[in-house]
Amino acid sequence: MSEIDATISPGQVILEMKGITKAFPGIVANSDVDFDLKKGEIHCLLGENGAGKSTLMKILYGLYKQDKGEVFYKGEPLVVNGPADTLRQGIGMVHQHFMLIKPLTVAENLVLGNEPTKYGFLIDKKKAKAELMEISTTFGLAIEPDAKIMDISVGMQQRVEILKALHRGAEVLILDEPTAVLTPQETKELFVIMRKLVHDGKSIIFISHKLKEVMEISDRVTVINHGRIIGSVKTSETSPSQLANMMVGREVELIVHKEPAKPGKEKFRAEGLVAENDRGLPALRGIDLSVRAGEILGVCGVDGNGQTELVQCITGMRRLSAGKVTLNGKDITNMPPKRCFEAGIVHVPEDRQKHGLVLDFTVAENMILQTYNKKPFSRGITLRWDEIKSYARRIISEFDVRTPDEDTKAGSLSGGNQQKAILARELSRTPELIVVAQPTRGLDVGAIEYIHKRLVSERDSGRAVLLVSLELDEIMSLSDRIAVIYEGRIMGTMDIEDATEETLGLMMAGSMPASHKGVM
Amino acid sequence: MERKKDNSAIKELIVPVTAVFIGLVLGGILMTLTGVNAIEGYKALIMGCFGRLEYVSETIVYTTPLIFTGLAIALGFRCGLFNIGCEGQYIVGLIGAAVVGAMDLGLPTFIHLPLTMLSGMACGAIWASVPGLLKAKFGIHEVVNSIMMNYIALYLSHYLVNGPIKDPGITSPYSREILDTAKLWRFFGQNSPIRVNSGIIIAIAAALFVYYLLFKTTIGYQIRAVGFNPEAARYGGISVPTNIVAAMFISGALAGLAGAVQIMGIQFKFLDIFAFQGYGLDGIAVALVGKSHPLGVLPSALLFGILQRGSQTMQMLAGVPKETIGIMQGVIIIIVAAEGIIKGWLPIRKILGTDKKAAGKEVGRA
């Protein structure tokens, strides 16, 4: 392989996908897609969820077989039989969800599937460690070889994944939304690593939908939408707004315009919330929060620090083992979901397909998920479809949900329109407190723009909004106050004026910046 | 964008109809291979089912319980439950109706008849509620429990008909005949050998009722929400455990009604059974081919009624082994169950004349 290798110098095309077409029943995921990667570059594949990024990469990685088109690697047609074979040929992928075995050590994970052995059957741990040390020195990726995966940070785990790919001799690395799980600091570290890797002659495909990161790290950007390539540009010759334009096909406003909040009296208060996660481990260890009318309180933190459980506890979907939740002074602690929304809480859940919608229901049926047994949608036990459908039509058009009609199955809407449908349902119920979790996850910029505007206008009309998001940018552009959650506790709450990315990032990682000691 | 509404019914029908067609062709090939003239075989099937009034009557008699059990299972499916216990619920339904029907309380028909029917339904409903409760409370899978409940029902019925409810007047293990006030109306006279009776009307009414319940009421809305996505139902304030129990209860009532109608229209007494009669299990096939839609269950039950009735006449008249029909049924069920795969093969969009690319764009999820 090294012979061929020598023929490809930096800047030459190492990988080329030509005319890739892939259709699934009912969906054309990739249509005549051309994509190429030069040696020593970071090439970003940018597009909303469902645009066809993942399909294209799965074809490259050997998980899918394309219907049409060809892949060339180092000038030769690439024929692969599944992921293991792809890796052998020098193309490695770091998945969004890591493929690591948690109780095993870093070194053990590194050699997994390719273990050095003693006497033919015992794993040679010393050799595994030596191999790890060698590769980590070569690429300057410091790591503790004997630490167990479950004890190291997400950023470190990602590093193990990258080392794994390098260990198998990957020349081309595919990083699938690598920053989604990282703190800002960890993202910076990752970018340093990525730069070092390309400096050492590796080539990287960086999959993302975050414009800021794309602008920061990539050399070239290829935008994909609806399974088609919209265009390929040099990063140095483009701007975030041009990229957003390409992604959506129209002008979008990337900045949320809002007036300073005029908060009223306190609407919602949570005191000392304690709860466990699904595995019975402590998830909330005493959360205190309050939200006033007419303000957006943003809760930011790294994924898995209790955000999910916090939202579930407030909305009645998870039991608190201690603490108190009040809305308008009324105690709603541990009330079932029905009582919570009857009290005036609406909830845009973080997983719209799991909780937010019944995908096999029509849009109209979804619009009455909480109100099906209320007037005017039913009389006695009989549903009144005329009322339901006309209501659905009304809020569909009010919230600009793009659907052929109200009888279309919710599952066939795009992610953005599913989210708009949920917003339409929730915000139409004249709420006291709006709890939104990850409202724009995986959405294209156009839908994000709409949802952000809508949340701000709800705030302006005097509603209390509790926003939980993993996207720091989203938190910073929408919130009036920010609370940082770390390991089930609120590290601190601050006004937006006092918040900087650095301070928030440090607090998200669990350390209290000196300037903010005692802000609580 | 096309409106999907107009096509949805046809779309739903394509796979079952194709399945039946393939089943018939395959059955024909099998017959030819076993040395039987396939056309003669199918002629015997048709003649055996519709050739004479008695035959038509018998076809309907075979179909009736399948409608009930098909509905029972379809309703369970709609709530995400696999009520494989219809067999046992059917048996307790037989017993419940046989016992109350034979009670001489001096009641007039318009009270005794519905009471008998209700008794069968109640027995089935209670029988099904046990696995329902176990599932709702402890998360124990309903398939395991309801299969065990089937055996309990079978052996309980042995005990009862050989002891407490046995007709002392005869030696065979039969229960006493139900009173005339508890018998359903046979269209051609109460003692006519043409056994078709008002049970078929009740079955069709039950299908309409289940349709109404599922699609036009808040109860059905809850059941379907839980069936499609229990997490979203919970989020929407719909109690998942309550609906699991409710769905099992109604499903069991329908299976129990199958038994009650069988007693009240056909058997008039409980006859000891030594093995499961298969209505409950065939109901699974009926529900599958009927796409778990109450109105789909009707033609689907008729199909299986015809095949079962026909398998006997085919054997008698054309010498076609009964098993041929069994294989045909199996093929039909497999094709319908493997719908996802089949739909990929069938040029459905071409049939419906919708453009693949346009649809791809509209769906747009990868």
Side-chain angles (χ1 to χ4, degrees), chain A residues 152-165:
Chain A
I152 62 177
S153 72
V154 174
M156 279 294 160
Q157 293 181 15
Q158 192 170 56
R159 202 171 277 197
V160 178
E161 283 281 21
I162 294 173
L163 283 168
K164 250 170 72 181

Side-chain angles (χ1 to χ4, degrees), chain A residues 36 109 134 136 200 254 339 356 367 404 474:
Chain A
D36 67 73
N109 267 283
E134 190 198 327
S136 100
D200 291 346
L254 292 172
R339 299 281 294 281
M367 289 300 134
E474 179 166 83

Side-chain angles (χ1 to χ4, degrees), chain A residues 8 31 81 91 100 102 119 154 166 180 189 222 225 238 250 265 270 281 318 323 328 340 366 369 444 459 474 481 483:
Chain A
I8 300 199
S31 168
N81 299 306
I91 299 171
L100 297 171
K102 292 194 168 172
Y119 318 119
V154 174
L166 295 173
E189 283 169 33
T222 292
N225 193 7
T238 187
R250 64 175 173 84
K265 65 175 174 54
L281 303 171
R318 182 179 295 272
N328 281 333
C340 285
N366 270 294
L369 194 57
D444 64 274
R459 176 202 77 162
E474 179 166 83
R481 283 192 304 135

Side-chain angles (χ1 to χ4, degrees), chain A residues 300-316:
Chain A
C300 70
V302 181
D303 197 6
N305 275 286
Q307 295 97 320
T308 305
E309 290 81 5
L310 172 66
V311 167
Q312 290 178 339
C313 286
I314 293 172
T315 55

Side-chain angles (χ1 to χ4, degrees), chain A residues 24-29 50 52 55 226 228 316-318 337-338 341 347-349 353-361 365-366 368-370 372-373 378 380-383 385 389 404-405 407-408 411-415 418 422 425-426, chain B residues 1-5 8 12 78 209 212-239 243 340-341 343-345 349 355-366:
Chain A
F24 297 103
I27 304 160
V28 181
T55 307
H226 288 308
R228 288 169 198 278
M317 300 194 54
R318 182 179 295 272
K338 196 172 178 171
F341 57 69
H347 174 196
V348 178
Q353 307 207 333
K354 186 176 168 198
H355 289 111
L357 293 169
V358 180
L359 295 179
D360 293 301
F361 267 4
E365 285 174 314
N366 270 294
I368 55 162
L369 194 57
Q370 296 97 340
Y372 64 93
N373 54 1
S378 61
I381 62 158
T382 307
L383 290 169
W385 282 111
K389 286 188 179 179
D405 57 39
D407 292 324
T408 304
S412 64
L413 302 186
S414 70
Q418 291 180 352
I422 295 172
R425 178 184 70 210
E426 297 304 310
Chain B
M1 292 191 189
E2 90 275 21
R3 284 179 70 92
K4 294 182 173 168
K5 211 156 93 184
S8 63
E12 291 293 304
R78 288 281 172 175
F209 168 79
Y212 183 80
L213 182 81
L214 276 176
F215 299 107
K216 307 285 177 192
T217 71
T218 54
I219 298 166
Y221 180 87
Q222 294 182 47
I223 286 175
R224 289 185 301 126
V226 170
F228 280 139
N229 186 346
E231 286 293 325
R234 197 165 77 87
Y235 157 87
I238 296 167
S239 164
N243 280 288
I341 305 170
K343 271 196 173 160
W345 294 339
R349 280 169 208 288
D355 179 23
K356 198 170 189 175
K357 273 185 186 158
K361 247 182 195 169
E362 183 190 318
V363 176
R365 293 192 301 140

Side-chain angles (χ1 to χ4, degrees), chain A residues 38 116 158 183 190 208 237 276 326 345 444:
Chain A
K38 290 175 187 155
Q158 192 170 56
T183 63
L190 173 71
S208 181
E237 292 165 5
E276 292 175 343
T326 49
I345 293 182
D444 64 274

